[in-house]
Amino acid sequence: MLRAHIPTPGDPDRHAVRFARQQRGHSSFLIAWVDDLPVGAGEVLWRGCAAPEINEHYPDCPELNGLDVWPPELRSQGIGTALITAAEDLVRERGYPRIGLGVDDENPRASALYLRLGYRETGRHYLDRYQYTDPDGTVLDIADPARFLVKSLET
Ligand SMILES: CC(C)(COP(=O)(O)OP(=O)(O)OC[C@H]1O[C@@H](n2cnc3c(N)ncnc32)[C@H](O)[C@@H]1OP(=O)(O)O)[C@@H](O)C(=O)NCCC(=O)NCCS
């Protein structure tokens, strides 16, 4: 059902991998619903950012990863913010003082949202590495320039 409603081009097993990660206790998989339909997803990675150059500086900082609202017509209606708030609540409940996330250098609208919600620049840049499978089956290694933002959850 998730795959039918929230496509993951180039990574057809993405939702299944996320479920498996949650089953192992390494993450919490968040799904936003409207009228019984999934319209957004994200994942809290409890071990923090997968990029070692970030993780060495933020080892105890869970990361909100892979935030997506679908279809695009449903964006800018607060669904993304609801997912972010749910992630922050989970992280706070487990006693962590902060949450982090990576944002692509070419995604200024997403970073504007995060900054508006209280995330702060860390000055740490890294390459967000993942694999993308072309329709013809070719597997590409992608490395998108990104930067790491952090929000304090302490009151
Ligand atoms: C980023 C994203 C998850 C935010 O979800 P959302 O439901 O649109 O977020 P909200 O409605 O709570 O907030 C919208 C704000 O996010 C920002 N934004 C980021 N990407 C946007 C997009 N593609 N379209 C519209 N607004 C976007 C805007 O600043 C917008 O401000 P506005 O409400 O004044 O228009 C969603 O837009 C999305 O799925 N984008 C494509 C995937 C992506 O970029 N993921 C983030 C990876 S770091």
Side-chain angles (χ1 to χ4, degrees), residues 106-126:
E106 295 185 6
N107 199 347
R109 296 188 72 176
S111 62
L113 171 64
Y114 304 144
L115 294 172
R116 198 166 68 219
L117 292 176
Y119 288 78
R120 295 290 169 249
E121 303 283 356
T122 63
R124 303 259 170 215
H125 295 256
Y126 66 106

Side-chain angles (χ1 to χ4, degrees), residues 14 39-41 64-72 74-84 101-104 106-114 116-117 128 147:
R14 188 175 198 201
V39 294
L64 173 55
N65 184 271
L67 195 62
D68 192 20
V69 171
W70 193 266
L74 289 184
R75 291 175 187 161
S76 292
Q77 297 179 31
I79 296 168
T81 298
L83 283 165
I84 294 167
L101 54 77
V103 64
D104 191 304
E106 295 185 6
N107 199 347
R109 296 188 72 176
S111 62
L113 171 64
Y114 304 144
R116 198 166 68 219
L117 292 176
D128 182 19
R147 62 193 207 276

Side-chain angles (χ1 to χ4, degrees), residues 11-89:
D11 189 3
D13 296 330
R14 188 175 198 201
H15 296 312
V17 167
R18 287 175 150 190
F19 271 122
R21 199 155 35 224
Q22 177 172 257
Q23 291 302 103
R24 292 198 302 276
H26 295 170
S27 71
S28 292
F29 190 10
L30 302 172
I31 300 167
W33 300 82
V34 170
D35 295 336
D36 295 332
L37 292 178
V39 294
E43 184 180 24
V44 175
L45 298 177
W46 292 108
R47 296 170 165 191
C49 183
E53 63 268 43
I54 296 298
N55 203 288
E56 67 174 318
H57 296 286
Y58 295 92
D60 296 316
C61 181
E63 183 194 62
L64 173 55
N65 184 271
L67 195 62
D68 192 20
V69 171
W70 193 266
E73 307 85 76
L74 289 184
R75 291 175 187 161
S76 292
Q77 297 179 31
I79 296 168
T81 298
L83 283 165
I84 294 167
T85 303
E88 292 171 1
D89 288 347

Side-chain angles (χ1 to χ4, degrees), residues 83-97:
L83 283 165
I84 294 167
T85 303
E88 292 171 1
D89 288 347
L90 278 182
V91 172
R92 195 182 289 106
E93 279 165 20
R94 289 204 188 184
Y96 290 94

